[in-house]
């Protein structure tokens, strides 16, 4: 798998990341969508073994129990508002938005939603205290920019189109997604940098989740993107600690 990633990374290095993940000038790797609803956590408790002397029964790690999400019935002008589950916005190839949508309270140099921007500031400071540098390669991108990026990818990098999100299907349009790196190493190799490893271990503690985990392309519709993080709030993000769960699975959409 790592060998395959290396080959992909090599072909992506000179490419422009048009998807919902990387910045318009990023290599072939890109990140698309957005996120949505949340689920309740259920903890499974094993049956105590019969024993003369009662002993504490260990409990397993709580796992989210997806609820039945509402059906996405939006059409026409209704697509100017995003689909959401339990308060979590979901933007993807299956749940799109029109050019009319954008962050409600954009702030900062990357025009992120205020809450996401504040969480990113805290996370960046925490990483710096650990000697790790986090840089933003791409934040908010509107429909027009995303469309131009996607069309460019179709013409120049059709073999890597699974890294790109069509306009209206990119999380970057919500102002809740960011492409992060160390300012030096980009694309799939970014996962092996100090920044990539730190984010993989700590991002959920600040409300961010790795949106497109390794091995989950059939669920998310996008390739593994170690740089694309989506803000959903700490309460929900803490259930993504192993970085294997996808937003679709968490919200009962897969």
């Amino acid at each position: 798998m790592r060998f395959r990633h290396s080959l992909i990374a090599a072909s992506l290095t000179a490419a422009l990341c048009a998807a919902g993940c990387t910045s318009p000038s990023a290599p072939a790797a890109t990140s698309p969508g957005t996120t949505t609803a949340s689920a309740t956590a259920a903890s499974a408790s094993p049956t105590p073994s019969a024993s003369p002397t009662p002993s504490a029964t260990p409990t397993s790690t709580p796992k989210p129990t997806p609820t039945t999400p509402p059906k996405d019935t939006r059409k026409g002008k209704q697509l100017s508002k995003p689909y959401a589950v339990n308060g979590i916005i979901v933007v993807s190839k299956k749940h799109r938005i029109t050019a009319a949508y954008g962050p409600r309270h954009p702030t900062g140099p990357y025009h992120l939603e205020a809450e996401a921007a504040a969480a990113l500031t805290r996370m960046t400071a925490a990483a710096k205290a650990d000697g790790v540098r986090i840089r933003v390669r791409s934040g908010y991108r509107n429909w027009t920019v995303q469309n131009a990026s996607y069309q460019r990818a179709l013409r120049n990098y059709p073999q890597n189109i699974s890294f790109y999100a069509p306009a209206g299907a990119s999380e970057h349009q919500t102002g809740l997604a960011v492409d992060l790196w160390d300012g030096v190493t980009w694309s799939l190799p970014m996962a092996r940098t100090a920044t990539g490893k730190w984010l993989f271990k700590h991002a959920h503690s600040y409300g961010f989740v790795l949106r497109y985990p390794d091995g989950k392309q059939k669920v998310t519709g996008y390739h593994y993107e170690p740089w694309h993080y989506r803000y959903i709030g700490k309460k929900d993000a803490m259930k993504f600690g192993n970085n294997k769960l996808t937003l679709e699975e968490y919200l009962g959409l897969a």
Side-chain angles (χ1 to χ4, degrees), residues 50-136:
S51 174
T53 304
S55 58
T57 303
T59 57
S60 60
T61 301
K63 297 181 179 180
T65 301
T67 57
T68 301
K71 186 175 181 179
D72 187 357
T73 59
R74 299 168 304 135
K75 294 181 180 180
K77 293 183 178 180
Q78 294 176 330
L79 293 173
S80 62
K81 293 184 179 180
Y83 173 63
V85 181
N86 298 338
I88 298 178
I89 290 175
V90 179
V91 173
S92 65
K93 292 177 181 178
K94 293 183 179 179
H95 306 287
R96 305 197 182 200
I97 49 179
T98 66
Y101 184 75
R104 294 167 298 175
H105 307 100
T107 185
Y110 308 108
H111 303 287
L112 300 177
E113 279 285 4
E115 188 176 336
L120 177 62
T121 296
R122 292 193 296 273
M123 183 168 72
T124 300
K128 183 178 181 180
D130 287 341
V132 175
R133 179 175 64 177
I134 293 178
R135 293 289 182 268
V136 176

Side-chain angles (χ1 to χ4, degrees), residues 40-216:
T40 56
S43 59
S45 170
T47 305
S49 58
S51 174
T53 304
S55 58
T57 303
T59 57
S60 60
T61 301
K63 297 181 179 180
T65 301
T67 57
T68 301
K71 186 175 181 179
D72 187 357
T73 59
R74 299 168 304 135
K75 294 181 180 180
K77 293 183 178 180
Q78 294 176 330
L79 293 173
S80 62
K81 293 184 179 180
Y83 173 63
V85 181
N86 298 338
I88 298 178
I89 290 175
V90 179
V91 173
S92 65
K93 292 177 181 178
K94 293 183 179 179
H95 306 287
R96 305 197 182 200
I97 49 179
T98 66
Y101 184 75
R104 294 167 298 175
H105 307 100
T107 185
Y110 308 108
H111 303 287
L112 300 177
E113 279 285 4
E115 188 176 336
L120 177 62
T121 296
R122 292 193 296 273
M123 183 168 72
T124 300
K128 183 178 181 180
D130 287 341
V132 175
R133 179 175 64 177
I134 293 178
R135 293 289 182 268
V136 176
R137 188 173 182 110
S138 184
Y140 166 71
R141 292 205 296 271
N142 63 32
W143 193 98
T144 300
V145 170
Q146 188 66 35
N147 185 53
S149 183
Y150 185 74
Q151 295 304 319
R152 189 161 49 245
L154 279 177
R155 293 192 303 271
N156 302 321
Y157 315 108
Q159 73 278 16
N160 296 319
I161 202 62
S162 61
F163 281 101
Y164 299 80
S170 172
E171 286 192 325
H172 285 278
Q173 193 178 333
T174 67
L176 295 168
V178 285
D179 294 334
L180 305 172
W181 65 322
D182 61 359
V184 178
T185 304
W186 181 241
S187 196
L188 295 177
M190 172 269 177
R192 299 190 293 272
T193 65
T195 297
K197 292 177 180 179
W198 192 95
L199 287 167
F200 191 87
K201 183 178 180 179
H202 300 289
H204 56 279
S205 297
Y206 297 89
F208 290 90
V209 298
L210 179 64
R211 184 64 177 90
Y212 308 111
D214 195 8
K216 293 289 187 174

